[in-house]
Amino acid sequence: MADRTAGRPTLDARAVLVPPSGVMPTEPERCCFDEWAGSYARRARRRRLVGPSRDLLAGLSEVGLRDRTVLDVGCSAGVLAFETLEGGASRVTGIDLSPAAIQEAGRIAGERGLADRATFQVADGASAPLVPHDVVVLDKVFCCYPNVDRLLANSLGAARALYAFSLPPSDGLRGALQRAFSAVANRWYRLRRRTFGDFRTYVHDVAALEARVREAGFEHRFGRRRLGWDLAIYVRPESTVSER
């Protein structure tokens, strides 16, 4: 049988050494995600989107968010998820590896009167069965995975109309700076292993990832290049908003 991956761009992760076994884990360690849940919950309660998350929401609103269902992969405490509802989305589903973050998101949904339109659950976007939604968002998620092939394929398959993401840049001066920053950060995580476990950050080849998205039948519709993040929204041309 012919190798279907031949000639396909490789999605590589840089600034992290492969373990001596040569085997990289397929999903990030939960480690510190639970510990970070409190700070994200405070941000969600203040309705405070920052940096790429704010730009990503603006892009979704521009391309078409109203009356659409949203799947937020790596939602943490729901910071972005809740804002998509406020921006006109009909329903949102959030998944995250952190039980503490999902618990916080559920509480905040009740506090904000959004519990009837928001569902949150503990799940890994790379392996969990994902119910199709009109919009799939991965905000600052790819950089937590050493290998994004499974995450990309699984999440792309759930996107009916829009596929949106943010991740660190990988080319030019911005990419070089990001790889240097990631290497320094990962050394710190290793020194603080008791707190961070095996958590590391990864800089993946953005061009290769976007090539895979286009290969799946999506077209680029929105993009932003910040110093530390690249943002993109892709549209499936033949898509229509499904009946609710």
Side-chain angles (χ1 to χ4, degrees):
M1 180 179 293
D3 182 3
R4 294 184 180 180
T5 63
R8 173 178 291 180
T10 300
L11 303 179
D12 64 322
R14 306 188 183 105
V16 176
L17 297 177
V18 177
S21 65
V23 178
M24 296 293 283
T26 58
E27 63 184 47
E29 186 68 30
R30 290 182 182 179
C31 66
C32 42
F33 295 153
D34 280 352
E35 295 184 13
W36 292 340
S39 64
Y40 283 108
R42 288 189 292 274
R43 186 178 299 172
R45 287 187 171 93
R46 294 197 302 268
R47 307 186 182 195
R48 183 168 177 263
L49 279 179
V50 298
S53 303
R54 182 178 58 243
D55 291 347
L56 204 55
L57 179 64
L60 288 170
S61 298
E62 178 181 319
V63 174
L65 181 61
R66 183 162 298 279
D67 297 327
R68 285 181 161 168
T69 58
V70 177
L71 173 62
D72 187 357
V73 178
C75 66
S76 188
V79 184
L80 178 60
F82 294 125
E83 297 310 311
T84 64
L85 289 176
E86 298 289 356
S90 60
R91 290 192 56 83
V92 66
T93 301
I95 64 171
D96 199 274
L97 289 168
S98 167
I102 292 300
Q103 188 175 46
E104 290 283 6
R107 289 197 190 104
I108 297 168
E111 295 167 7
R112 294 181 61 168
L114 299 172
D116 61 331
R117 295 196 290 142
T119 302
F120 297 95
Q121 61 186 39
V122 178
D124 180 2
S127 57
L130 302 180
V131 175
H133 288 64
D134 297 319
V135 181
V136 173
V137 182
L138 297 94
D139 182 24
K140 295 174 286 188
V141 177
F142 286 120
C143 52
C144 295
Y145 281 70
N147 185 316
V148 298
D149 288 330
R150 289 174 58 197
L151 175 62
L152 179 62
N154 201 36
S155 57
L156 268 174
R160 292 193 190 105
L162 305 182
Y163 191 74
F165 54 87
S166 64
L167 74 170
S170 61
D171 64 340
L173 178 59
R174 293 186 311 130
L177 290 173
Q178 190 60 43
R179 285 190 291 275
F181 174 80
S182 182
V184 171
N186 288 334
R187 291 191 185 96
W188 170 252
Y189 294 140
R190 291 188 190 95
L191 291 173
R192 300 288 303 279
R193 194 181 185 89
R194 287 189 178 182
T195 300
F196 295 104
D198 292 327
F199 176 76
R200 303 291 184 267
T201 63
Y202 303 86
V203 180
H204 295 286
D205 187 332
V206 177
L209 189 149
E210 293 196 276
R212 292 278 296 278
V213 176
R214 290 191 297 271
E215 183 181 286
F218 289 82
E219 296 180 355
H220 188 269
R221 186 64 58 84
F222 175 91
R224 289 286 185 275
R225 290 165 62 89
R226 300 171 62 93
L227 178 61
W229 299 96
D230 278 356
L231 295 80
I233 299 177
Y234 279 79
V235 176
R236 194 185 293 275
E238 71 277 12
S239 66
T240 58
V241 179
S242 62
E243 293 184 3
R244 307 296 180 259

